[in-house]
Amino acid sequence: MQSYTIGQAARLLGVSPDTARRWADAGRVATHRDETGRRLIDGRDLAAFSVELAGSGGEENPSYTSARNAFPGIVTAIKLGDVAAQVEIQAGPHRLVSLLTREAVEELGLEVGMEATARVKSTNVHIDRS
């Protein structure tokens, strides 16, 4: 499973590294240390926290972006059907849902907790693996 540094998690959540560090210090999101002593957040824990944070409406530093821009975030859910798939990405306060083929999800190797970018144009949401 992919893990994220405090700085990477902050970027995905749309907050400053100091805010992400305070949340980790307060126990709002679990961390562990790697062999070099850096604090890391497990991807699944970060995905769950990003959904909780977005649901509370409590983002301290909201980002403003055009709907045509890229939304870097974290995969929070994947629903696979026989042919189609639904992928949800939490990008700061934005929850984006993309409908794509199961084959595309498998080729991208998407998993919950993985960093990905949703690209929105008109009514289409495209997913890029980061």
Side-chain angles (χ1 to χ4, degrees):
M1 171 50 51
Q2 185 168 352
S3 293
Y4 298 91
T5 65
I6 296 290
Q8 290 170 324
R11 185 176 51 79
L12 292 171
L13 296 171
V15 298
S16 72
D18 287 335
T19 297
R21 201 170 291 108
R22 281 194 308 272
W23 288 341
D25 290 344
R28 289 187 64 188
V29 62
T31 63
H32 63 278
R33 297 206 181 258
D34 68 5
E35 60 279 351
T36 64
R38 291 184 313 166
R39 282 198 303 180
L40 300 174
I41 301 170
D42 180 73
R44 289 192 184 273
D45 292 339
L46 184 59
F49 180 68
S50 69
V51 170
E52 173 191 326
L53 185 63
S56 70
E59 186 179 5
E60 293 180 13
N61 298 315
S63 60
Y64 300 97
T65 181
S66 165
R68 290 183 170 263
N69 287 341
F71 292 84
I74 188 165
V75 176
T76 57
I78 298 174
K79 297 175 186 164
L80 294 174
D82 291 337
V83 176
Q86 177 179 312
V87 177
E88 295 181 20
I89 293 179
Q90 192 71 44
H94 309 288
R95 177 179 163 263
L96 298 118
V97 179
S98 179
L99 301 175
L100 57 162
T101 64
R102 179 186 183 116
E103 181 180 17
V105 171
E106 291 170 350
E107 283 181 11
L108 288 170
L110 294 177
E111 296 178 9
V112 171
M114 176 179 281
E115 185 175 353
T117 301
R119 299 188 185 279
V120 179
K121 182 174 181 182
S122 185
T123 60
N124 296 317
V125 178
H126 304 269
I127 306 285
D128 297 331
R129 182 174 169 188
S130 301

